[in-house]
């Protein structure tokens, strides 16, 4: 066999595939940034489906469990992950970073297993699959026939991968390969398709996607136009802060862009009605109490923060509930040319899909962005809270100019949603980056004491 030959197991061998892969994946999965159960050993690992996508590349959906122990932030005791595994006799050194390990037993014994998304050849073949709608086992490859995707676009894997893996093809398209899979249509496909149907140009429209029909229907990946020369809002905000530049013009335009997206979302998903502020406030209070239980620094502020939620419960109804972005911050917006674009409509991946797709107050998104300006202004000492305040003001002004209502005039709603977000941040920082705890705590203090 040539040194780099691809090797595939026969489908009949799929059942004992985990004899080959089980131990390797148990070690490898927790090291991946997109793996949700990092701090817990993978005690259960099961194969849900296996498809030979092309020779030398296996598509797997696996179930992982942690002995029934639920994870932090609501991560469930069990999850489903999508893997594309390369199988070769030997791995070339340039793919060293993709190595998962050498199988010792079972049908793949003696072969090297690696993450195929790092392999340009596999990435190219995956694009070929997407260019030609069709099926492979339980997998369905579909697309918008009106948008031609050229053959042979050179792939590169984005290094910034976080909760998913993204491949850029020839700076023309970007394929987001979802890692943690939940049953149903992923909102990152559903929402951009619906917004494109509304003629909304703020969101790159999907051109091809793939999904599985087994074990349950679920979206697995989405190909969209790649915005060349785009910078994300977070990088731009930090740049402006570092050079002492004003960012209010960009923030105002971002507010307008977000209002445009919210209007298009309301039109694309009509009939959502009003949020029940009482039950939203109750859920926020519960999250606060549970966070205060884990983070002692939060406790002195609990009564002040509870008053924010109490005020929400008695607020007049506010803007109607609607489909929202769900995880809006400066890292989820891109600026290309002089235009803002909004990406990543998945919502918070740790929340169940039904919750993420439910109608919510658009104030939730606005609060997310306002908190993000504050985070940017506190990345380096000296902190620049006045920079954040000006950006927040400009963002709300831009939003109000188009939306028909002004977030600044919904003080009670905004305070409650910002508080809820800041409580989430406190919990996150306490767990993962204790040095950063002072950043959300500064907001907690402001929201609890002054509430402005
Ligand atoms: N259409 C696009 N054009 C250019 N870059 C993009 C595009 N979509 C995503 N990106 C880049 O990929 C990164 C991650 O994308 P995102 O959809 O937010 O994935 P994740 O769910 O992993 O956060 C973004 O921060 C951005 O840098
Ligand atoms: Mg993102």
């Amino acid at each position: 066999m040539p040194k780099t030959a691809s090797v595939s197991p026969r489908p009949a061998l799929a059942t004992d595939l985990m004899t080959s892969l089980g131990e390797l994946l148990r070690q490898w999965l927790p090291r991946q940034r997109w793996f949700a159960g990092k701090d817990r050993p993978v005690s259960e690992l099961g194969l849900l489906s296996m498809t030979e996508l092309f020779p030398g590349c296996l598509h797997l959906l696996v179930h992982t469990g942690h002995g029934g122990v639920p994870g932090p932030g609501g991560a469930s005791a069990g999850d489903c992950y999508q893997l594309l595994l390369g199988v070769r006799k030997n791995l070339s050194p340039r793919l060293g970073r993709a190595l998962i390990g050498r199988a010792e037993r079972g049908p793949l014994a003696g072969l090297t297993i690696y993450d195929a998304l790092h392999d340009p050849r596999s990435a190219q073949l995956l694009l070929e699959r997407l260019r030609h709608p069709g099926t492979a086992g339980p997998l369905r490859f579909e697309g918008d026939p009106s948008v031609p995707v050229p053959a042979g676009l050179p792939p590169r894997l984005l290094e910034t991968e976080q909760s998913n893996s993204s491949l850029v093809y020839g700076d023309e398209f970007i394929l987001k390969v979802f890692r943690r899979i939940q049953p149903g249509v992923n909102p990152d496909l559903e929402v951009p398709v619906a917004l494109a149907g509304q003629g909304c140009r703020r969101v790159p429209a999907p051109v091809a996607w793939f999904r599985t029909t087994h074990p349950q229907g679920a979206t697995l990946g989405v190909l969209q136009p790649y915005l060349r020369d785009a910078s994300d809002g977070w990088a731009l905000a930090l740049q402006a802060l570092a050079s002492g530049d004003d960012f209010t013009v960009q923030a105002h335009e971002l507010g307008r862009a977000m209002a445009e997206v919210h209007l298009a979302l309301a039109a694309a998903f009509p009939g959502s009605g009003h949020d029940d502020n009482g039950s939203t406030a109750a859920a926020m209070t519960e999250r606060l109490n549970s966070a205060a239980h884990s983070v002692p620094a939060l406790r002195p502020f609990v009564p002040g923060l509870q008053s924010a939620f109490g005020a929400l419960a008695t607020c007049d109804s506010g803007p109607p509930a609607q489909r929202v972005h769900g995880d809006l911050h400066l890292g989820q917006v891109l600026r290309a040319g002089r235009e803002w674009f909004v990406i990543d409509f998945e919502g918070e991946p740790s929340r169940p899909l039904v919750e993420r797709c439910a109608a919510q107050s658009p104030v939730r998104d606005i609060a997310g962005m306002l908190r993000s300006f504050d985070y940017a202004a506190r990345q380096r000492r000296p902190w620049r809270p006045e920079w954040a305040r000006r950006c927040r003001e400009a963002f709300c002004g831009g939003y109000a100019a188009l939306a028909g209502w002004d977030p600044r005039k919904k003080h009670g709603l905004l305070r409650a949603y910002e508080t809820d977000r800041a409580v989430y941040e406190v919990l996150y920082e306490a767990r993962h980056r204790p040095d950063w705890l002072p950043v959300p705590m500064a907001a907690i203090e402001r929201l609890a004491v002054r509430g402005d």
Side-chain angles (χ1 to χ4, degrees):
M1 189 174 298
K3 213 170 161 230
T4 54
S6 304
V7 181
S8 321
R10 292 189 305 277
L13 300 180
T15 41
D16 44 27
L17 198 63
M18 290 318 257
T19 317
S20 293
L21 297 176
E23 205 36 50
L24 294 179
L25 294 179
R26 266 180 230 272
Q27 301 293 324
W28 181 75
L29 281 168
R31 297 203 305 269
Q32 306 313 301
R33 279 175 72 175
W34 39 260
F35 188 71
K38 284 189 188 51
D39 42 1
R40 296 163 292 159
V42 179
S43 56
E44 299 146 34
L45 182 66
L47 184 65
L48 298 174
S49 78
M50 190 287 273
T51 310
E52 184 182 8
L53 210 46
F54 31 81
C57 181
L58 302 180
H59 180 280
L60 262 59
L61 290 175
V62 296
H63 175 268
T64 65
H66 307 277
V69 184
S76 66
D79 289 304
C80 170
Y81 289 94
Q82 173 176 214
L83 312 177
L84 282 102
L85 301 184
V87 181
R88 289 185 182 194
K89 195 150 178 25
N90 291 299
L91 199 60
S92 73
R94 76 192 156 81
L95 285 175
R97 282 180 46 222
L99 179 69
I100 295 175
R102 182 172 286 265
E104 304 288 345
R105 295 187 294 277
L108 304 181
L111 299 173
T112 301
I113 315 298
Y114 64 101
D115 183 352
L117 290 183
H118 286 260
D119 181 354
R121 195 184 68 97
S122 300
Q124 242 156 7
L125 289 169
L126 184 57
L127 183 66
E128 276 307 295
R129 271 289 186 189
L130 284 159
R131 292 181 62 244
H132 302 287
T135 68
L139 309 181
R140 302 284 177 274
F141 292 84
E142 297 163 342
D144 175 352
S146 70
V147 184
V149 177
L153 295 172
R156 71 184 157 90
L157 188 65
L158 275 193
E159 293 301 325
T160 56
E161 73 171 47
Q162 292 184 342
S163 40
N164 298 292
S165 298
S166 294
L167 283 159
V168 175
Y169 290 98
D171 276 0
E172 288 197 40
F173 294 96
I174 179 165
L175 173 64
K176 182 165 171 176
V177 178
F178 299 115
R179 289 302 199 162
R180 192 169 167 201
I181 304 302
Q182 291 200 25
V185 180
N186 191 297
D188 212 9
L189 173 62
E190 181 194 24
V191 172
V193 164
L195 290 178
Q198 294 295 318
C200 176
R201 299 172 57 83
R202 296 279 174 196
V203 176
V207 299
W209 49 89
F210 63 114
R211 61 188 175 92
T212 178
T213 55
H214 176 82
Q216 278 167 306
T219 312
L220 298 174
V222 181
L223 187 75
Q224 298 178 336
Y226 182 70
L227 300 166
R228 230 169 298 176
D229 303 323
S231 301
D232 70 58
W234 180 251
L236 291 172
L238 293 191
Q239 237 169 54
L241 275 156
S243 50
D245 290 346
D246 178 65
F247 200 63
T248 54
V249 173
Q250 293 91 325
H252 184 93
E253 287 169 5
L254 181 56
R256 255 190 103 87
M258 211 46 232
E260 207 177 310
V261 171
H262 275 167
L263 289 171
L265 276 169
F269 300 93
S272 306
H274 275 273
D275 223 3
D276 172 5
N277 286 342
S279 53
T280 304
M284 288 173 170
T285 306
E286 206 178 300
R287 284 196 283 272
L288 167 64
N289 292 338
S290 126
H293 186 73
S294 322
V295 187
L298 209 45
R299 290 178 201 158
F301 302 101
V302 166
L305 300 176
Q306 273 171 345
S307 78
F309 301 144
L312 170 66
T314 57
C315 264
D316 64 344
S317 50
Q322 60 162 91
R323 277 300 281 265
V324 297
H325 181 281
D327 187 23
L328 192 66
H329 53 76
L330 283 163
Q332 308 279 43
V333 291
L334 300 175
R335 194 163 165 91
R338 296 186 63 80
E339 298 287 343
W340 283 109
F341 295 85
V342 184
I343 57 165
D344 196 358
F345 283 80
E346 254 191 296
E348 281 175 26
S350 61
R351 292 186 184 228
L353 197 62
V354 273
E355 218 177 280
R356 294 191 259 148
C357 297
Q360 300 177 60
S361 171
V363 176
R364 185 184 154 95
D365 281 348
I366 295 168
M369 190 58 84
L370 298 187
R371 288 291 314 123
S372 198
F373 284 123
D374 190 54
Y375 248 80
R378 294 175 198 270
Q379 285 298 290
R380 284 207 213 138
R381 302 268 176 184
W383 283 356
R384 302 274 308 280
E386 79 296 343
W387 181 94
R389 200 191 47 71
R390 284 197 304 275
C391 288
R392 291 157 57 96
E393 186 69 21
F395 177 83
C396 289
Y399 190 91
L402 204 70
W405 63 277
D406 189 335
R408 291 166 295 189
K409 298 206 171 111
K410 300 287 175 194
H411 177 75
L413 278 171
L414 206 49
R415 181 183 173 206
Y417 277 93
E418 255 203 272
T419 302
D420 188 48
R421 178 78 192 173
V423 167
Y424 164 82
E425 291 163 359
V426 164
L427 203 56
Y428 178 89
E429 301 297 11
R431 276 201 181 119
H432 302 287
R433 309 188 300 182
D435 289 356
W436 287 83
L437 199 50
V439 172
M441 282 309 296
I444 289 291
E445 204 170 321
R446 170 176 63 84
L447 290 158
V449 178
R450 301 202 308 274
D452 57 1

